[in-house]
Amino acid sequence: MFRPLDPLLHSELRLAVMSILIGIDEADFPYIKEKTGSTAGNLSVQIDKLQKAGYIDVEKTFRGRRPSTICRMTKKGRDAFSEYVEALGSYIKDVAK
């Protein structure tokens, strides 16, 4: 039987954000925007959803006079991402049998 996939992570853009953050301590908004190819508005909405779920922490600061948004994955987010990857792997294994 297939394991359920976390619907929050099953979104392409949210999964991309989490995939970026899993390998680094933190990333700023422009970096994530560049790597995902997303629009600022769509990325902002998806980051907000991940933050509300407790998967990422978002820190809003200033660098000089410019606003800066820094994203970091939480332990809950790391656990959810690992579980998602394992569940997805179970689909591949079941189909390959």
Side-chain angles (χ1 to χ4, degrees):
M1 178 149 206
F2 293 116
R3 291 171 51 182
L5 296 174
D6 183 338
L8 190 67
L9 295 180
H10 206 55
S11 156
E12 183 179 347
L13 183 52
R14 289 189 297 265
L15 183 59
V17 170
M18 296 294 282
S19 296
I20 291 167
L21 294 175
I22 194 77
I24 56 179
D25 290 334
E26 63 184 32
D28 66 8
F29 189 88
Y31 178 81
I32 297 171
K33 182 178 174 287
E34 175 189 332
K35 292 297 182 186
T36 60
S38 175
T39 64
N42 192 14
L43 181 58
S44 180
V45 168
Q46 302 313 316
I47 285 175
D48 187 53
K49 288 181 182 185
L50 290 168
Q51 182 184 23
K52 284 180 179 173
Y55 288 2
I56 64 172
D57 283 328
V58 177
E59 178 184 352
K60 295 189 180 261
T61 62
F62 284 87
R63 288 187 181 161
R65 294 179 179 220
R66 302 188 76 159
S68 176
T69 301
I70 306 294
C71 299
R72 293 177 193 87
M73 191 179 293
T74 64
K75 178 176 179 346
K76 181 179 180 181
R78 288 187 189 284
D79 292 345
F81 185 82
S82 294
E83 196 172 302
Y84 181 86
V85 170
E86 287 178 26
L88 191 57
S90 73
Y91 281 67
I92 296 166
K93 287 177 188 173
D94 283 348
V95 172
K97 289 181 180 179

